[in-house]
Amino acid sequence: MAVRAVRGATQLDEDTREHMLDRVAEMVTDVMESNGLSVDDFISILFTATSDIVSEFPAYAARQLGFTDVPLMCARELEIAGAMPRVVRMMAHVETDLPRAEVTHVFLHGAAGLRRDLARTHTDE
């Protein structure tokens, strides 16, 4: 079994607690489903959020999904001129038998435009 990093990102329409928790839960769940992972496969998750998100800690959404024994951390994204607003990103370290090239990184909603070269994307269509 190998340790792999899997990435995800989502963009919020608005910075409200319920909306942020829903979008982050959707991102985490999609990462899990896309890679055949369970909570027990996760070693740790780092969440980042742009400075315009202040309604709740993104890690709280993962806790609500059952990530009670997984180390979670939240941090601020760099404030770069012209960067996409209201974005939550995650980088999870997981144990999996997937080869690195088969790990699916998930970018949802407006964040799908961040790394079209890297990920299978999902959008509001």
Side-chain angles (χ1 to χ4, degrees):
M1 182 110 16
V3 173
R4 301 283 184 228
V6 60
R7 292 191 46 205
T10 191
Q11 185 178 39
L12 281 58
D13 297 328
E14 59 185 355
D15 180 31
T16 63
R17 185 175 190 270
E18 184 175 320
H19 183 63
M20 193 277 298
L21 292 173
D22 287 346
R23 287 281 170 100
V24 173
E26 175 190 33
M27 174 179 60
V28 172
T29 300
D30 202 348
V31 163
M32 293 172 70
E33 291 173 356
S34 296
N35 292 287
L37 301 170
S38 71
V39 172
D40 289 339
D41 297 322
F42 284 75
I43 297 167
S44 64
I45 305 176
L46 172 65
F47 292 96
T48 65
T50 51
S51 62
D52 51 4
I53 297 176
V54 297
S55 60
E56 182 59 86
F57 293 101
Y60 185 69
R63 293 276 182 237
Q64 290 184 313
L65 292 173
F67 286 77
T68 56
D69 295 328
V70 176
L72 307 175
M73 181 177 278
C74 296
R76 276 281 175 230
E77 194 67 35
L78 294 173
E79 293 188 40
I80 304 299
M84 187 178 290
R86 299 177 315 281
V87 174
V88 176
R89 292 173 172 88
M90 68 177 281
M91 183 166 53
H93 294 96
V94 300
E95 293 179 316
T96 180
D97 288 325
L98 288 174
R100 185 172 303 167
E102 291 181 23
V103 171
T104 300
H105 306 279
V106 176
F107 292 72
L108 305 174
H109 307 289
L114 292 171
R115 288 298 305 264
R116 292 190 190 279
D117 62 315
L118 179 65
R120 178 177 60 88
T121 59
H122 302 272
T123 58
D124 293 326
E125 293 180 0

